[in-house]
């Protein structure tokens, strides 16, 4: 029995079961179960505002000290729990993990920890140090798979457990690196390697996290551009932006420092240009603005530290490409091209390039690139070599003669001030030219810039002309025999007329860029303008149509007579259609009885047709009307109906048509008359003869006479 218990004790946590007695009933419960969790509500860590500039109240510090003491007790209690109870509490009691995360979210950054030593309260620093240490022990226990021979779990189960229950997340890792990596780099590197090895899904999550971090760099740059555009920006705003930049950059720096895997991920995401851009557009801009507001600000030193760390991070990420080249793998050519491309892309940030080449010698790196892969583009290689070459130290100036020294001493102070302003303007123009042409020597650009006041002329001289008086290093000699290069007369002509005469035809009467209507015919392509270019166009000539167009335009509009009828609704066509489309419908049983009536109607219709022919003959003699007057048509229709009624009945129509037979009757339940029932029966038997069965014939009749669209 003891051997069996011993075997159960050596099982991993995910397979182990422990006996549990509840209400007198003993049963086996899994070691990782809600039964074994600690039900207490763990205290969350609360922070207080510490920036080294504003004092902190004693009451606030005392409250923080009391809450931190309870927080430390909870962390000690969590560490003292047994292995299965510890993990059951972490998984099934949300307040335990929230308590640990609250400290990492509210802990002081590394650059504010020394401020605690300057506080008057002696309890603050020891309490913070104790909380800092106990939380780190809890994190180490969370990331340890095997504590002893009886306290361990399977690696695959551990990877799924921490990922499924969000025990270790990307923000958790970022906070861990930000708070603990500078003092515990070896332990943090072990934790990261363990987590990434046991759960590879974290690699993809870290890529998303790094992308978000690079997006934060862009947000900081946007805020700098928008808020620093105002000339009256406050020092507090500058300090906030500096702290924001320091927090984001420190996380990225420590990520690259502690983990080679994360360094490779950064190289895959291409963070090099983002670092150089952040260096020039954020750190340098903040440094200049803070220096103008307060030269004694402590944030200047923080910005300098960030500059050094970002340069080291850039160097570390860039060395990934060199390592690929030295390994001799199949990606050597891609790594060499990537290395050259990164350096070329970063040339847009001149301050970063100047600081980088002053701190690191790139000759050795380029030698590795060239030796590792001989087929690298030589043009790009030479360009990068010149752009990142270190400046040679300046030679000592020649001794000044006593007479010249006396003249300099006697020169007034205002001349020195004017020279300083002139030098500042020259240096600003030199920096602008170096951003455009980073492969040129600074001394050469400065010499040419002093000879020419215009930046465009200086760039033209640097690009197109070769100085005859240049020394072996390419720098013009400082002697007085330097050749004078006159101004280009074409430039003067351009400034005077606005025409850039690059050849003898610019600006003449045939120049379409200057004149709207030029002399002669501008021939483009085959054939002359207006003539057919191909045989198809020649055979498809429609010029005769254009010639006859003016003749047919005379018949575009036809004058119409205004109708005399003011009635908005024209119902003459409906009346005519109703009279002409009327059909005689006779029941099957009454056909013989109505034969005589049909003969009479046929004779009457013949008379009507004769009258219509006479009326049509009269209408033909009318005045070329587009259509008949609706009022006359209605009047003629009414007369025709009256005459027909007179012939049939001997008197004019006196009222409406006889009432139809009643088939509705009384409401249901009240009984119906015999007449109503007879009418219903008659209607049901003869409904086939009274329905609208001639819709198609009537529609065809209207369509044939233009009453409906076809």
């Amino acid at each position: 029995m003891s051997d069996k218990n011993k075997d159960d004790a050596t099982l991993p946590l995910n397979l182990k079961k422990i006996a549990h007695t509840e209400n007198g009933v003993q049963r086996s419960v899994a070691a990782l179960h809600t039964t074994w969790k600690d039900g207490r509500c763990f205290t969350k860590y609360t922070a207080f505002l510490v920036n080294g500039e504003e004092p902190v109240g004693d009451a606030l510090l005392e409250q923080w000290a009391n809450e931190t003491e309870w927080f430390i007790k909870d962390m000690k209690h969590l560490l003292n729990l047994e292995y299965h109870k510890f993990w059951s509490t972490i998984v099934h009691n949300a307040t335990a993990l929230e308590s640990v995360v609250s400290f990492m979210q509210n802990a002081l950054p590394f650059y504010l920890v020394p401020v605690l030593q300057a506080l008057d309260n002696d309890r603050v620093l020891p309490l913070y140090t104790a909380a800092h240490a106990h939380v780190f022990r809890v994190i180490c226990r969370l990331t340890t798979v095997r504590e002893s021979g009886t306290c361990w779990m399977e690696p695959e189960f551990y990877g799924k457990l921490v990922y499924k229950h969000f025990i270790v997340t990307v923000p958790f890792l970022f906070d861990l690196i930000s708070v603990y990596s500078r003092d515990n780099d070896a332990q943090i590197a072990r934790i990261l390697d363990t987590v990434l090895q046991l759960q590879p899904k974290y690699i993809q999550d870290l890529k998303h996290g790094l992308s978000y971090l690079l997006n934060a760099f862009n947000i900081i740059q946007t805020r700098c551009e928008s808020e620093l555009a105002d000339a009256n920006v406050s020092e507090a705003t500058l300090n906030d932006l500096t702290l924001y930049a320091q927090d984001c950059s420190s996380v990225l720096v420590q990520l690259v420092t502690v983990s080679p895997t994360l360094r490779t991920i950064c190289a895959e995401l291409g963070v090099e240009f983002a670092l150089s851009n952040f260096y020039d557009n954020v750190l340098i801009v903040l440094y200049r603005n803070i220096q103008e507001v307060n030269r004694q600000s402590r944030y200047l030193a923080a910005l300098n530290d960030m500059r050094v760390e970002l340069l080291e991070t850039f160097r570390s990420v860039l060395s990934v490409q060199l390592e690929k080249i030295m390994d001799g793998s199949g990606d050597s050519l891609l790594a060499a091209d990537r290395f050259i491309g990164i350096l070329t892309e970063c040339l847009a940030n001149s301050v970063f390039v100047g600081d980088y080449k002053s701190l690191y010698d790139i000759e050795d790196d380029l030698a590795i690139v060239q030796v590792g892969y001989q087929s690298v583009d030589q043009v790009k290689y030479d360009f990068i070599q010149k752009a990142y070459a270190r400046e040679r130290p300046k030679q000592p100036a020649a001794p000044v003669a006593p007479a010249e020294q006396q003249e300099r001493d006697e020169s007034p102070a205002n001349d020195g001030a004017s020279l300083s302003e002139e030098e500042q303007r020259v240096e600003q123009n030199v920096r602008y030219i170096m951003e455009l042409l980073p492969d040129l020597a600074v001394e050469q650009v400065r010499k040419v810039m002093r000879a020419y006041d215009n930046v465009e002329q200086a760039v033209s001289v640097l690009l197109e002309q070769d100085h005859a008086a240049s020394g072996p290093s390419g720098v013009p000699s400082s002697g007085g025999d330097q050749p004078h290069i006159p101004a280009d007369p074409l430039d003067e002509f351009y400034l005077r007329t606005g025409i850039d005469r690059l050849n003898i035809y610019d600006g003449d009467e045939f120049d379409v860029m200057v004149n709207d209507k030029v002399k002669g015919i501008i021939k483009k392509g085959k054939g002359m303008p207006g003539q057919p270019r191909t045989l198809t166009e020649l055979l498809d000539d429609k010029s005769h149509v254009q010639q006859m167009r003016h003749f047919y335009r005379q018949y575009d509009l036809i004058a119409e007579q205004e109708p005399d009828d003011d009635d908005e609704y024209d119902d003459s066509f409906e009346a005519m259609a109703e009279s002409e489309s009327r059909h005689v419908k006779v029941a099957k049983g009454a056909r013989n009885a109505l034969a005589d009536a049909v003969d009479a109607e046929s004779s009457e219709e013949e008379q009507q047709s004769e009258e219509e022919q006479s009326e049509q003959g009269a209408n033909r003699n009318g005045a070329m009307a587009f259509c008949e007057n609706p009022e006359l048509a209605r009047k003629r229709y009414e007369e025709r109906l009256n005459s027909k009624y007179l012939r049939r009945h001997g008197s004019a129509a006196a009222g409406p048509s006889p009432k139809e037979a009643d088939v509705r009757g009384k409401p249901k339940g009240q009984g119906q008359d015999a007449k109503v029932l007879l009418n219903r029966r008659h209607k049901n038997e003869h409904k086939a003869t009274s329905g609208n069965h001639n819709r198609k014939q009537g529609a065809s009749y209207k369509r044939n006479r233009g009453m409906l669209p076809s």
Side-chain angles (χ1 to χ4, degrees):
M1 188 68 178
S2 61
D3 295 339
K4 184 178 180 181
N5 294 335
K6 185 177 180 180
D7 294 339
D8 293 341
T10 58
L11 289 175
L13 181 68
N14 53 306
L15 300 178
K16 184 185 297 184
K17 291 187 178 181
I18 303 175
H20 175 66
T21 302
E22 184 177 3
N23 297 328
V25 178
Q26 185 177 2
R27 59 190 179 94
S28 298
V29 181
L32 186 61
H33 194 265
T34 184
T35 305
W36 309 112
K37 72 175 182 179
D38 194 322
R40 72 161 57 189
C41 183
F42 289 83
T43 308
K44 292 185 179 180
Y45 177 81
T46 57
F48 59 94
L49 179 62
V50 176
N51 54 11
E53 297 177 358
E54 300 178 1
V56 184
D58 295 337
L60 181 62
L61 290 177
E62 287 295 331
Q63 180 181 358
W64 175 86
N66 295 330
E67 293 178 355
T68 306
E69 288 179 352
W70 282 105
F71 176 79
I72 294 173
K73 291 179 181 179
D74 287 344
M75 292 297 103
K76 290 181 179 179
H77 176 77
L78 190 61
L79 289 171
N80 293 329
L81 291 176
E82 298 180 17
Y83 188 72
H84 67 283
K85 292 184 178 180
F86 172 81
W87 278 103
S88 298
T89 303
I90 292 294
V91 173
H92 299 289
N93 189 352
T95 60
L97 189 60
E98 290 175 359
S99 178
V100 177
V101 174
S102 66
F103 178 82
M104 291 192 295
Q105 292 178 347
N106 298 316
L108 292 178
F110 67 95
Y111 49 84
L112 289 180
V113 175
V115 179
L116 297 178
Q117 301 176 358
L119 297 177
D120 297 334
N121 197 327
D122 297 336
R123 299 175 58 194
V124 174
L125 184 59
L127 286 175
Y128 180 81
T129 305
H132 186 275
H134 284 86
V135 171
F136 188 66
R137 292 192 185 98
V138 173
I139 294 173
C140 291
R141 191 175 186 184
L142 281 174
T143 54
T144 301
V145 180
R146 177 182 290 271
E147 292 185 3
S148 63
T150 57
C151 301
W152 65 286
M153 66 177 70
E154 294 179 352
E156 295 180 358
F157 176 78
Y158 173 82
K160 295 179 181 179
L161 179 68
V162 297
Y163 192 83
K164 177 182 178 181
H165 294 277
F166 300 98
I167 298 174
V168 178
T169 59
V170 172
F172 181 91
L173 295 176
F174 281 7
D175 293 336
L176 178 65
I177 291 171
S178 177
V179 176
Y180 293 101
S181 62
R182 294 183 179 269
D183 299 328
N184 307 276
D185 52 350
Q187 290 82 354
I188 298 299
R190 180 194 64 80
I191 291 173
L192 288 174
D193 293 340
T194 302
V195 171
L196 295 179
Q197 182 179 2
L198 297 179
Q199 184 52 268
K201 293 182 179 179
Y202 283 112
I203 296 178
Q204 188 66 27
D205 294 345
L206 284 171
K207 289 183 180 180
H208 292 297
L210 287 172
S211 301
Y212 179 80
L213 189 60
L214 296 179
N215 188 26
F217 284 0
N218 296 330
I219 294 174
I220 297 173
Q221 182 177 347
T222 304
R223 285 192 58 185
C224 289
E225 293 174 355
S226 60
E227 297 184 8
L228 299 184
D230 187 7
N232 299 324
V233 60
S234 62
E235 185 179 0
T237 303
L238 296 173
N239 295 341
D240 291 341
L241 289 174
T242 303
L243 291 176
Y244 191 8
Q246 191 172 10
D247 289 337
C248 295
S249 63
S250 63
V251 173
L252 183 59
V253 168
Q254 293 303 314
L255 279 173
V256 175
T257 303
V258 300
S259 176
T261 305
L262 294 178
R263 183 165 64 97
T264 306
I265 294 176
C266 291
E268 294 176 359
L269 294 178
V271 302
E272 298 90 348
F273 180 72
L275 289 176
S276 63
N277 198 20
F278 184 78
Y279 188 96
D280 262 33
N281 298 326
V282 176
L283 300 186
I284 301 302
V285 173
L286 288 175
Y287 189 91
R288 291 172 181 172
N289 284 272
I290 293 176
Q291 194 174 23
E292 292 177 0
V293 176
N294 184 9
R295 290 182 174 272
Q296 305 299 327
S297 177
R298 64 184 181 87
Y299 292 97
L300 295 176
L303 287 170
N304 285 331
D305 295 339
M306 278 190 283
R307 291 171 64 180
V308 176
E309 290 180 350
L310 286 182
L311 288 173
E312 294 176 352
T313 304
F314 179 86
R315 173 77 174 180
S316 178
V317 176
L318 188 62
S319 63
V320 174
Q321 312 300 332
L322 296 177
E323 293 174 359
K324 292 181 180 179
I325 296 173
M326 296 178 67
D327 291 342
S329 59
D331 298 336
S332 298
L333 179 59
L334 296 177
D337 290 339
R338 178 65 180 162
F339 184 86
I340 299 296
I342 291 170
L343 295 180
T344 305
E345 193 176 15
C346 293
L347 286 175
N349 303 311
S350 58
V351 180
F352 174 80
V353 172
D355 293 345
Y356 182 77
K357 67 183 181 182
S358 63
L359 189 61
Y360 300 102
D361 188 6
I362 203 173
E363 292 293 336
D364 298 336
D365 299 342
L366 292 177
I368 294 174
V369 173
Q370 192 173 24
V371 172
Y373 210 89
Q374 298 292 336
S375 62
V376 69
D377 193 348
Q378 191 64 29
V379 177
K380 294 182 180 179
Y381 179 85
D382 295 339
F383 177 76
I384 292 298
Q385 190 175 19
K386 292 180 181 179
Y388 283 86
R390 286 189 174 183
E391 297 182 5
R392 298 183 178 180
K394 298 181 180 180
Q395 297 180 357
V400 182
E404 296 178 358
Q405 183 68 27
Q406 185 177 2
E407 292 178 358
R408 293 181 182 180
D409 295 340
E410 294 176 358
S411 61
N414 55 2
D415 294 343
S418 63
L419 289 176
S420 62
E421 295 178 359
E422 182 71 18
E423 288 294 332
Q424 291 178 2
R425 186 178 63 83
V426 170
E427 290 297 329
Q428 183 178 1
N429 293 334
V430 168
R431 286 195 299 269
Y432 177 73
I433 295 176
M434 288 301 298
E435 292 180 359
L436 299 176
L437 306 171
D439 57 326
L440 298 179
V442 179
E443 291 297 332
Q444 180 184 1
V445 177
R446 187 178 289 110
K447 281 290 183 181
V448 176
M449 196 63 237
R450 287 174 181 173
Y452 298 92
D453 295 334
N454 192 357
V455 179
E456 296 179 357
Q457 294 180 356
V459 173
S460 178
V461 170
L462 291 170
L463 290 177
E464 299 178 0
Q465 298 183 5
D466 186 16
H467 298 280
S470 298
S473 62
V475 181
S477 61
S478 59
D481 56 347
Q482 186 173 359
H484 174 68
I485 302 174
D488 192 352
L490 294 179
D491 295 340
E492 297 178 0
F493 180 78
Y494 175 75
L495 295 175
R496 186 174 69 254
T497 63
I499 300 173
D500 191 7
R501 295 186 64 86
L502 300 178
N503 54 58
I504 61 174
Y505 301 107
D506 287 337
D508 58 6
E509 62 271 16
F510 300 103
D511 190 359
V512 295
M513 304 301 293
V514 178
N515 302 321
D516 295 335
K517 296 182 180 180
V518 297
K519 182 179 179 181
I521 299 174
I522 304 300
K523 183 176 179 301
K524 298 180 180 179
K526 298 180 180 180
M528 296 298 292
Q531 298 296 326
R533 296 184 179 181
T534 61
L535 180 62
T536 304
E537 293 184 2
L538 180 61
L539 297 177
D540 196 19
D541 186 13
K542 297 295 188 298
S543 59
H544 62 282
V545 177
Q546 299 294 335
Q547 296 174 2
M548 297 297 294
R549 190 178 297 277
H550 70 281
F551 178 76
Y552 290 102
R553 284 178 180 172
Q554 299 177 5
Y555 300 96
D556 284 350
L557 300 177
I558 300 176
E560 299 180 359
Q561 282 188 346
E562 294 293 334
D564 297 333
D565 187 15
D566 296 332
D567 190 4
E568 295 181 358
Y569 180 69
D570 187 3
D571 55 351
S572 59
F573 291 101
E574 295 182 2
M576 294 170 63
E578 182 181 355
S579 64
E580 294 177 356
S581 62
R582 183 169 55 86
H583 298 279
V584 178
K585 300 176 183 179
V586 183
K588 295 180 181 180
R591 288 182 180 178
N592 297 329
L594 296 177
D596 298 335
V598 171
D599 295 338
E601 278 189 347
S602 61
S603 61
E604 291 174 1
E605 289 178 357
E606 291 177 359
Q607 294 178 3
Q608 291 178 5
S609 62
E610 293 177 359
E611 292 177 359
E612 290 177 357
Q613 290 177 0
S614 62
E615 291 176 358
Q616 291 178 1
N619 290 334
R620 290 194 191 97
N621 298 329
M624 302 282 298
F626 180 76
C627 63
E628 187 180 3
N629 189 356
E631 186 179 3
L632 297 178
R634 285 195 297 271
K635 185 177 180 181
R636 184 174 62 254
Y637 176 69
E638 291 176 0
E639 292 177 354
R640 191 184 310 152
L641 289 179
N642 291 332
S643 62
K644 183 185 298 185
Y645 196 83
L646 284 173
R647 285 193 297 270
R648 288 185 178 182
H649 303 283
S651 62
S657 60
K659 186 178 180 181
E660 296 180 357
D662 184 16
V663 294
R664 298 185 62 181
K666 299 178 182 179
K668 185 177 181 181
Q670 297 183 7
Q672 304 296 338
D673 297 338
K675 187 175 183 179
V676 173
L677 297 176
L678 184 62
N679 292 336
R680 288 180 181 178
R681 179 181 177 183
H682 184 271
K683 181 181 178 181
N684 187 35
E685 292 177 353
H686 297 86
K687 62 183 178 182
T689 60
S690 62
N692 188 9
H693 298 289
N694 298 318
R695 291 190 296 271
K696 185 175 181 181
Q697 184 178 359
S700 300
Y701 177 81
K702 289 185 178 181
R703 187 178 296 108
N704 294 335
R705 284 156 179 75
M707 299 180 186
L708 294 176
S710 57

